[in-house]
Amino acid sequence: MSRLRRNLAPYLLVLPGGLWLLLFFAVPMITMLSLSLQQGDIVNGYAFTGHWQTYVDAIGNYRTQLFRSLLYGAIATIALIVLAFPVAYWIAFYGGRRKATYLFLLLLPFFVSFVLRTISWRQILTDEGPVLGPLKDIGLLGDSFHVLGTPFAVIAGLVYNFLPFMVLPVYVALERIDPRVIEAARDLYADPATAFRKVILPLALPGVFAGVLMTFVPASSDYVNSAVLGSSSTTMIGQVIQAQYLATADYPTASALSFVLMAVLLIGVFTYARALGTEDVMKVAAR
Amino acid sequence: MSDTPAIEFVGVHKEFQSHGETVHAVRTLDLAIGQGEFFSLLGPSGCGKTTTMRMIAGFEDPSAGTVFLDGKDVTGVAPNKRDVNMVFQSYALFPHMSVFQNVSFGLERRKVAKAEITRRVGEIIEIVSLTGMEKRAPREMSGGQQQRVALARALVNRPRALLLDEPLGALDLKLRQQMQVELKRIQREVGITFVYVTHDQGEALTMSDRIAVMQGGRIDQLGTPREIYEKPATRFVAGFIGTSNLLEGEVRSIDDGIATLSSAPGDCVLVPVPGSVAVGDKLEISVRPEKIELERGTEAPSDCSVVAGTVSEVVYHGTSTNYAVTTAAGPEFTVFDQNAANADDLAVRGDKVFLYWNAQHSYPIGV
């Protein structure tokens, strides 16, 4: 009896999580897959026909937005690495006893809703707003100069909104580096730049790797930033999917696009993991 | 070998700011460490020994004074430009590199030719008995092996001096003793100056040519292990190195360089003193526990220092038996009795005993 219970215990423990995944991941996925292969309209209802042509049409019609999303996501991710690394580095090595305070300050703006924060950026960056207005008044910028509606505004919004997701994992990786290992490099004739390149950077890579996963995927499929800060020329795939579901009510196309996006991101992530050598990364991370 | 010291400190002072207070880690230190010497900095934590070593490596700059390496002023010179290497307490191996990459790190920074690197790394790996493990990652090795990698990584560069910061602290006792012998052998083989930081007095005594015993940022005593053990210069040294029985008394008479101290009735405490000591001086003397003989009975031996007492504790240690003896002289005495000749203990708890030792084994502290 007790042996039976012991054998069952792991399965019982996994049950809540498993049920959760089944209900909120597997079932919706299957529903969506089925939906993407149905035909019909919102008034007369949809019927399963195994119509793969929807995928071909969806990719054909929206490949511009798809590529744009991946491009914006990639640029934002690179910008995030460049911005987040120094911040994480400074907190990890120079934060002293106030490390937790600095991290909290970094996260503080993110207690405000994602959408609200993005909208406030729009107020700040608007054509006659607090930033551009004075600059235009003193003639530093032309009257027609604008930031809103440009790819720059959208990518900047992505970078801003996903900053903590890059800073935190990089910080954790840097924080785990034994300062004596860096001293050892300096002792073994490495100047500060070489010590950084040969020791700090490789040891921080697992954090960067995690940060890239945590920012590139949501940034590429984001629809809020381009909707609030962008224009019709910066439409991202997330916006298209949202519009197909809510405005056009073309469920099959929306579902098909979701799957295409997911497939592209998965392939991207796996290729990236391969190229960077996840095994090495994981080895270092596991030390 | 030249007469220039490998490492020299002249008037070196180091202070830190901590919580708005000034902490004097090292106070006006003058020190010269010879070429090829095995030199230990010994003391309790916070005595300034690690700060002293870090100033040699270049991780700390002195607040005042000058540090010389091979007669060259290196004060303020960056660690990577100093010809000394360090073995860190927790080894600080590069976790993302193999043993070979770890060991060759310094040589590569110095742009040594590939073939030469391979040769020298192979050579040093053999010296530290790690042949065949070049491709391993540090985390795949035991503590003792990692220790050897750290040693090889520093020694392969043939530095002017090797700095070791409590390198055996993380190893278990057996391995530690083994590595002590090994380190001594390696030092003989490579002939490099070793500066060894430790709080373990046994380690310092067995390995060093000379020891500096530090306390509160100062050197209390500098000398060979024998000098430091037999002739402790301060009360602190007497207590920190091994066990000491400390006795205080006033000089009653001096006869032929041997002073008689005031003592309890029936006791007699003799101590050899230099000419500077006069009748009436207060003296503190140290007697090592293994120099003292213990005898049960009522008649005191005549020509030695003698103190009467009562056995309060008997602890059997295998090679020796340790006795704690309360005396009228004041302090509780510790006596080590070798178990070579006596199959049975000399006394049991509660026995009245006499403790006696040769006058030459009393040592006056600080005169």
Side-chain angles (χ1 to χ4, degrees):
Chain A
M1 181 58 207
S2 81
R3 200 164 90 198
L4 182 70
R5 208 184 306 165
R6 213 173 21 235
N7 289 340
L8 270 178
Y11 298 100
L12 288 173
L13 283 172
V14 98
L15 199 62
L19 274 178
W20 176 276
L21 270 181
L22 187 74
L23 264 176
F24 298 109
F25 181 71
V27 172
M29 285 287 277
I30 293 162
T31 313
M32 248 172 60
L33 183 65
S34 150
L35 200 54
S36 72
L37 296 173
Q38 293 178 10
Q39 278 177 296
D41 58 64
I42 189 83
V43 184
N44 302 310
Y46 295 96
F48 188 85
T49 55
H51 189 71
W52 289 96
Q53 187 62 32
T54 310
Y55 279 85
V56 180
D57 293 342
I59 296 173
N61 292 337
Y62 299 109
R63 64 169 185 277
T64 319
Q65 285 84 349
L66 191 60
F67 281 127
R68 186 183 290 142
S69 300
L70 296 175
L71 182 69
Y72 286 6
I75 296 174
T77 305
I78 291 164
L80 275 166
I81 297 175
V82 173
L83 272 177
F85 202 98
V87 175
Y89 186 91
W90 189 86
I91 298 178
F93 291 120
Y94 298 95
R97 283 173 297 131
R98 295 216 177 79
K99 281 176 187 169
T101 313
Y102 295 131
L103 286 175
F104 178 72
L105 285 178
L106 188 82
L107 291 174
L108 198 57
F110 296 87
F111 283 87
V112 176
S113 137
F114 180 45
V115 178
L116 271 183
R117 265 182 288 125
T118 313
I119 290 173
S120 51
W121 269 111
R122 187 174 146 134
Q123 301 305 317
I124 295 166
L125 295 178
T126 189
D127 288 357
E128 293 303 326
V131 179
L132 296 188
L135 290 174
K136 284 181 180 176
D137 289 346
I138 59 169
L140 260 178
L141 295 173
D143 275 346
S144 63
F145 186 87
H146 64 102
V147 174
L148 280 185
T150 62
F152 175 81
V154 178
I155 294 170
L158 291 173
V159 169
Y160 166 73
N161 276 313
F162 291 105
L163 189 64
F165 299 98
M166 185 62 87
V167 173
L168 289 179
V170 174
Y171 165 79
V172 170
L174 287 171
E175 162 78 340
R176 281 173 60 182
I177 299 177
D178 180 356
R180 273 171 296 202
V181 170
I182 304 165
E183 282 186 348
R186 301 276 284 123
D187 186 58
L188 294 162
Y189 320 120
D191 54 44
T194 312
F196 178 80
R197 195 164 48 82
K198 287 277 178 185
V199 176
I200 300 175
L201 201 55
L203 292 177
L205 266 191
V208 176
F209 180 84
V212 167
L213 285 188
M214 288 172 72
T215 54
F216 176 69
V217 173
S220 305
S221 42
D222 177 77
Y223 64 91
V224 173
N225 285 283
S226 77
V228 175
L229 301 171
S231 63
S232 60
S233 64
T234 64
T235 309
M236 287 172 74
I237 196 71
Q239 271 175 288
V240 175
I241 296 172
Q242 187 213 22
Q244 291 293 333
Y245 264 117
L246 300 180
T248 325
D250 184 352
Y251 295 164
T253 301
S255 307
L257 276 175
S258 301
F259 271 101
V260 170
L261 178 63
M262 205 164 76
V264 168
L265 287 176
L266 278 176
I267 292 168
V269 165
F270 279 118
T271 316
Y272 163 73
R274 254 294 166 69
L276 222 117
T278 0
E279 225 165 76
D280 287 346
V281 168
M282 293 315 160
K283 259 194 220 159
V284 174
R287 88 200 143 91
Chain B
M1 279 197 206
S2 66
D3 288 342
T4 320
I7 296 159
E8 197 175 2
F9 279 67
V10 178
V12 170
H13 197 90
K14 177 68 183 176
E15 51 193 45
F16 293 104
Q17 293 300 323
S18 170
H19 302 279
E21 266 177 69
T22 308
V23 178
H24 298 272
V26 173
R27 296 166 193 263
T28 42
L29 185 71
D30 293 298
L31 175 66
I33 300 172
Q35 303 280 354
E37 195 172 13
F38 197 120
F39 190 93
S40 288
L41 292 163
L42 173 66
S45 63
C47 73
K49 58 191 194 297
T50 298
T51 306
T52 303
M53 164 167 287
R54 290 174 63 83
M55 285 193 284
I56 304 174
F59 295 129
E60 310 284 356
D61 278 324
S63 310
T66 320
V67 179
F68 296 94
L69 287 182
D70 263 323
K72 220 169 60 200
D73 181 355
V74 295
T75 321
V77 172
N80 51 314
K81 294 189 177 131
R82 295 191 186 200
D83 204 3
V84 294
N85 288 121
M86 188 149 164
V87 176
F88 290 82
Q89 191 168 11
S90 54
Y91 320 134
L93 299 178
F94 305 124
H96 57 303
M97 296 184 193
S98 68
V99 169
F100 184 93
Q101 288 169 320
N102 262 285
V103 176
S104 61
F105 191 91
L107 296 176
E108 270 172 18
R109 299 286 80 70
R110 295 201 143 176
K111 309 259 181 287
V112 175
K114 273 269 179 300
E116 172 79 356
I117 290 180
T118 313
R119 195 183 61 74
R120 276 170 68 173
V121 171
E123 195 179 282
I124 201 74
I125 280 189
E126 200 181 316
I127 291 184
V128 299
S129 328
L130 283 177
T131 311
M133 298 197 179
E134 291 88 342
K135 290 207 170 71
R136 294 251 192 118
R139 75 177 172 287
E140 296 167 349
M141 311 182 91
S142 70
Q145 289 169 335
Q146 292 188 27
Q147 166 66 65
R148 288 157 197 266
V149 178
L151 201 58
R153 182 175 72 172
L155 278 176
V156 75
N157 306 297
R158 297 177 189 152
R160 309 298 319 198
L162 186 73
L163 314 175
L164 302 105
D165 185 12
E166 309 240 8
L168 308 183
L171 303 180
D172 60 56
L173 184 65
K174 258 259 151 54
L175 201 53
R176 197 154 67 218
Q177 289 168 341
Q178 211 177 317
M179 281 304 291
Q180 286 175 12
V181 178
E182 193 96 324
L183 271 178
K184 207 50 197 157
R185 171 184 68 83
I186 290 169
Q187 199 249 346
R188 262 198 314 273
E189 272 176 41
V190 295
I192 290 173
T193 307
F194 274 35
V195 181
Y196 195 94
V197 162
T198 182
H199 67 269
D200 183 328
Q201 43 102 5
E203 212 165 274
L205 285 179
T206 46
M207 299 169 75
S208 318
D209 294 322
R210 281 197 305 158
I211 300 173
V213 185
M214 291 185 76
Q215 186 207 184
R218 284 199 184 85
I219 293 180
D220 258 36
Q221 189 174 6
L222 198 160
T224 63
R226 190 174 293 271
E227 281 165 5
I228 285 189
Y229 186 79
E230 303 286 345
K231 299 176 173 178
T234 66
R235 200 194 165 100
F236 170 76
V237 174
F240 192 74
I241 316 287
T243 310
S244 273
N245 295 300
L246 296 174
L247 272 172
E248 273 176 69
E250 203 183 286
V251 177
R252 284 287 156 80
S253 63
I254 299 177
D255 178 21
D256 203 13
I258 306 279
T260 306
L261 294 193
S262 59
S263 57
D267 289 356
C268 150
V269 177
L270 304 175
V271 54
V273 289
S276 57
V277 172
V279 173
D281 286 358
K282 281 228 180 266
L283 277 188
E284 185 167 36
I285 68 162
S286 145
V287 189
R288 293 297 185 181
E290 71 279 8
K291 315 275 193 199
I292 300 176
E293 305 279 349
L294 183 143
E295 195 175 283
R296 225 162 19 166
T298 44
E299 203 153 319
S302 58
D303 58 336
C304 291
S305 288
V306 178
V307 172
T310 311
V311 175
S312 60
E313 204 66 71
V314 180
V315 182
Y316 179 71
H317 275 267
T319 55
S320 68
T321 304
N322 297 359
Y323 300 89
V325 180
T326 45
T327 65
E332 184 169 80
F333 269 68
T334 305
V335 178
F336 296 165
D337 179 53
Q338 280 285 333
N339 287 337
N342 319 303
D344 295 316
D345 292 341
L346 293 170
V348 295
R349 245 170 74 94
D351 278 358
K352 298 265 181 221
V353 291
F354 288 105
L355 305 178
Y356 61 99
W357 65 93
N358 190 307
Q360 297 301 327
H361 290 149
S362 299
Y363 182 78
I365 290 171
V367 292

